[in-house]
Amino acid sequence: MLLFSAFLAIALSGCSSEPVVAGRSLKADSLSESKRREFVGALLLNIKGEHRAAVDRYRALLKSDASTPAINYALSRSFYSIGVSDSARFYSERSVKLDPSNTYYLRYLAELSHQMTDYTYAAELYQRLVTLEPGRPENLSLLAVEYLSADQPEKALAVFQEILRIDPKNETTQAQVLLLEIKLRHYQNAIGTLNELVEQGDGKEKLRLTLGELYLQTGQYESAFKSFRDVIDDNPLYVPAWLALFEVSVQSGNRETFLKDLHRFHLLGRIGVDQKIAVARLFLIRSLKDSAYEAPAQVMISELNRHYPRNGGVYLLRGQSMLQRQDAQGAERYFLKARSFVPGNPVIEEALVSAYIMQKEFRKASSIIVRAKKRYPVLAMRFRVMEGDLLFQEGKLDHAVSLLENVLQSINVKTEKDLYLQAAGILALCYDRQGLSVKSIRLYEEVLLLDPGNALAMNNIAYMLAEQGKDLSRAKTLAMKAVAAEPLSASYLDTLGWILYRMGEYDKSRELLEKAAGLNSREAEIFDHLAQVYDKLGNMQKAAETRDKLRKLKGM
């Protein structure tokens, strides 16, 4: 009997909180000899993978002894093995009810509930486990993670803080506390946590950077300046700290400090010109969404030009900034200058094509494309997409559609996703211009599947729906997302304003269209829409003035 009892003890000790003494589980004593043999037989079936047969054995045992928690637990495990989660949970809950102090049963039911996505119930079970086994960090960790799964971050934060009280040096938990404090906007607490981490740990560079960003987030500009300067003092070549330092100056409106720091930045010869160009480019991109960055971006580019007067990359960036401001002639001048310093650069050739298309210098654009396709065969597809854009701008829609449909069939979406999206966007515009709005919307929908945040696709779908007077609610949602992505886009503001006009929200429409007209005073369509809004609002004087501007624009 010794071997039999020892085997049963091993089987039951994995599902019981009671001790094993002299090779025997005390729980085993609650079963008669015959039932013990049946139970072990079912365990053996489970071990051999015959889970359904084990289920039948356990069920037979429960008919005569439903109050034994170990049998309910074992039956639950068998049901889990064959993928019957509901039954597994039912018998697991019975085992816990019969033996509520058994930590094995509790932990298993919590894990099962988590897998069934019942995170709130799982958290309740882990809380009971914490109560039964106080002071065990592993149980607290399970509870905290479950609160996160249940989207109860405040409770998770409290548990992680309890873990830190037990183990103050736990770096993983410190990181979790910091992330949650930031997520919950407990910025002052997060600042305190970060200061502690800076004092005690490695990686101070990144921690100070995060600390400075929190100070910036809370408007504590002097503290932010100090944090970023501490990083730079330790490592003057750490470019992210310089970038963050410039951001503090912009957000605090401190132009004088911005200029002084920018001067120091350019005096650091060990930071390469390419890195300096990258910083200026980031500010230029940022200016698309936040006008506060426009002037600083231009200052950065001018300073680059002053320090590196013979660098083609600087002239390329300067041209791109002019193109962003719709000054195609100025852009062309700088692109040609860039080309003189860096001949044979395909990026510069692409930029020149864009400048010529904007100026409607179609022959010049076509000439560059023809040469580039031969000169850069690896990049031929990129220039074919530009050729499709050129044909569209020229009004040669049939040729553009034929070329771009062929291009889309040739592009590998997985490896050239951006190029595919660019080509699809131009082709959708062609379809729209041909009056094929159904095909155009369908293609834009495909673009959104590949790139859910594509503001151009959202805007253009919204505008077409507005023009058709269809699904204006969805049109409004899409247009609002596009404006949120690029709040300084006159076109996107115009679309949203026009949709609101269609929905009868004339005051809100007027506000948006006036803002669009202020951002782009050369777009006739915006003034056409605005005049119609003034008509609806009964402001005939404004309507007449706006139509006068519209006639002048059309006569240009």
Side-chain angles (χ1 to χ4, degrees):
M1 289 296 296
L2 179 60
L3 288 176
F4 177 79
S5 297
F7 177 83
L8 183 58
I10 293 169
L12 291 178
S13 65
C15 54
S16 172
S17 60
E18 297 191 28
V20 176
V21 179
R24 293 174 57 87
S25 163
L26 297 183
K27 276 289 183 187
D29 293 339
S30 65
L31 296 174
S32 67
E33 187 67 24
S34 62
K35 288 178 181 177
R36 285 156 64 90
R37 289 183 179 278
E38 282 295 307
F39 187 77
V40 171
L43 285 173
L44 288 170
L45 290 172
N46 249 335
I47 292 169
K48 291 190 290 184
E50 298 176 22
H51 305 299
R52 291 187 183 277
V55 165
D56 293 338
R57 285 276 190 100
Y58 289 134
R59 278 177 159 171
L61 278 167
L62 284 179
K63 284 182 180 178
S64 58
D65 190 355
S67 62
T68 302
I71 299 174
N72 284 279
Y73 171 79
L75 178 55
S76 172
R77 298 300 296 249
S78 294
F79 271 123
Y80 179 77
S81 296
I82 60 177
V84 186
S85 299
D86 288 339
S87 294
R89 176 164 165 171
F90 174 79
Y91 287 104
S92 177
E93 286 177 335
R94 281 182 60 175
S95 69
V96 168
K97 185 176 181 180
L98 290 164
D99 189 359
S101 63
N102 189 306
T103 57
Y104 289 105
Y105 297 167
L106 263 176
R107 187 175 286 106
Y108 166 66
L109 179 55
E111 291 170 357
L112 186 60
S113 300
H114 176 88
Q115 290 177 24
M116 296 176 73
T117 69
D118 191 350
Y119 305 125
T120 302
Y121 181 50
E124 291 175 11
L125 294 166
Y126 281 125
Q127 182 59 68
R128 287 167 61 183
L129 192 63
V130 166
T131 302
L132 286 169
E133 299 179 328
R136 291 188 62 179
E138 58 269 31
N139 289 341
L140 288 166
S141 295
L142 289 168
L143 176 59
V145 170
E146 209 59 52
Y147 278 139
L148 288 176
S149 300
D151 195 23
Q152 298 181 51
E154 290 281 7
K155 289 184 176 181
L157 176 58
V159 176
F160 281 127
Q161 289 169 334
E162 177 63 27
I163 295 171
L164 281 184
R165 280 189 280 274
I166 298 169
D167 182 8
K169 302 294 185 182
N170 189 313
E171 292 183 2
T172 302
T173 304
Q174 287 174 330
Q176 287 284 5
V177 166
L178 178 60
L179 288 171
L180 282 170
E181 286 173 339
I182 294 172
K183 178 180 179 180
L184 294 167
R185 300 179 184 271
H186 297 178
Y187 294 132
Q188 287 305 124
N189 292 337
I191 287 169
T193 301
L194 265 171
N195 274 313
E196 289 177 13
L197 290 171
V198 168
E199 289 299 318
Q200 72 183 41
D202 297 325
K204 290 186 178 181
E205 199 170 74
K206 292 182 179 179
L207 290 173
R208 281 178 177 162
L209 195 65
T210 305
L211 179 60
E213 288 167 353
L214 282 173
Y215 281 131
L216 180 58
Q217 187 79 26
T218 54
Q220 300 178 65
Y221 299 124
E222 289 305 316
S223 296
F225 274 126
K226 183 181 184 307
S227 292
F228 296 137
R229 288 205 172 95
D230 284 346
V231 177
I232 290 168
D233 288 344
D234 288 344
N235 183 2
L237 305 183
Y238 192 53
V239 174
W242 283 103
L243 182 61
L245 190 62
F246 297 142
E247 286 210 28
V248 181
S249 294
V250 172
Q251 292 194 29
S252 64
N254 196 330
R255 176 180 169 80
E256 184 179 346
T257 300
F258 173 79
L259 293 173
K260 286 180 180 178
D261 288 332
L262 186 62
H263 180 66
R264 285 178 58 211
F265 180 62
H266 280 296
L267 289 178
L268 288 169
R270 288 183 296 167
I271 295 180
V273 62
D274 289 342
Q275 288 177 289
K276 293 173 181 176
I277 289 173
V279 169
R281 180 174 285 111
L282 283 171
F283 264 56
L284 185 63
I285 293 169
R286 186 77 179 268
S287 70
L288 287 169
K289 295 185 178 182
D290 189 341
S291 58
Y293 286 80
E294 287 180 9
Q298 296 307 316
V299 170
M300 282 181 159
I301 294 169
S302 296
E303 279 295 290
L304 274 169
N305 212 169
R306 187 169 70 84
H307 286 275
Y308 304 96
R310 300 184 62 79
N311 185 284
V314 174
Y315 283 106
L316 173 62
L317 181 62
R318 192 156 199 173
Q320 289 167 335
S321 75
M322 301 296 282
L323 209 59
Q324 186 170 301
R325 289 183 288 167
Q326 305 294 306
D327 184 354
Q329 287 185 333
E332 177 194 352
R333 184 169 66 253
Y334 288 119
F335 291 147
L336 289 172
K337 192 79 172 176
R339 182 201 260 174
S340 71
F341 289 113
V342 192
N345 186 316
V347 176
I348 297 173
E349 300 302 308
E350 285 183 87
L352 265 171
V353 170
S354 297
Y356 286 136
I357 288 177
M358 190 177 287
Q359 295 177 77
K360 301 191 183 302
E361 295 276 3
F362 299 132
R363 285 189 179 182
K364 290 182 179 180
S366 179
S367 176
I368 293 175
I369 289 171
V370 169
R371 290 198 310 270
K373 285 194 296 185
K374 294 177 182 178
R375 189 170 185 178
Y376 313 107
V378 175
L379 303 176
M381 195 65 71
R382 279 167 58 180
F383 285 99
R384 286 187 70 196
V385 173
M386 295 200 82
E387 185 178 5
D389 187 25
L390 173 61
L391 291 168
F392 167 72
Q393 299 291 344
E394 288 183 289
K396 299 176 181 177
L397 299 179
D398 290 340
H399 288 101
V401 167
S402 177
L403 185 150
L404 290 167
E405 286 179 340
N406 184 267
V407 164
L408 287 183
Q409 291 177 359
S410 305
I411 294 177
N412 185 327
V413 182
K414 292 182 179 179
T415 59
E416 297 180 284
K417 179 181 170 182
D418 289 342
L419 189 61
Y420 184 91
L421 292 171
Q422 184 184 352
I426 300 168
L427 180 55
L429 286 171
C430 292
Y431 287 147
D432 181 40
R433 190 72 61 83
Q434 289 179 321
L436 303 173
S437 59
V438 173
K439 291 183 75 171
S440 181
I441 290 175
R442 188 183 303 131
L443 191 52
Y444 279 130
E445 297 283 13
E446 182 183 332
V447 167
L448 286 180
L449 286 174
L450 292 169
D451 182 17
N454 192 299
L456 177 66
M458 289 189 284
N459 175 79
N460 290 2
I461 292 173
Y463 190 79
M464 282 186 279
L465 290 174
E467 287 293 278
Q468 297 169 18
K470 295 180 179 177
D471 203 353
L472 292 179
S473 177
R474 181 174 185 241
K476 180 180 176 181
T477 299
L478 289 170
M480 288 176 69
K481 287 181 179 179
V483 168
E486 295 186 28
L488 295 180
S489 169
S491 296
Y492 297 174
L493 288 166
D494 173 62
T495 295
L496 181 55
W498 188 235
I499 291 167
L500 293 175
Y501 168 85
R502 292 278 193 167
M503 298 177 79
E505 299 181 39
Y506 302 124
D507 282 320
K508 291 181 181 178
S509 173
R510 175 194 54 76
E511 183 181 330
L512 288 165
L513 290 170
E514 285 178 345
K515 185 176 180 180
L519 289 167
N520 186 352
S521 60
R522 299 166 63 183
E523 180 55 59
E525 190 171 40
I526 296 173
F527 288 92
D528 181 28
H529 292 161
L530 187 54
Q532 293 184 60
V533 172
Y534 286 139
D535 283 338
K536 288 291 186 181
L537 290 170
N539 194 335
M540 298 309 162
Q541 182 180 344
K542 280 282 191 181
E545 291 173 359
T546 304
R547 286 198 169 88
D548 185 50
K549 290 179 183 177
L550 178 59
R551 281 190 293 271
K552 289 177 181 178
L553 284 171
K554 289 183 174 180
M556 290 174 64

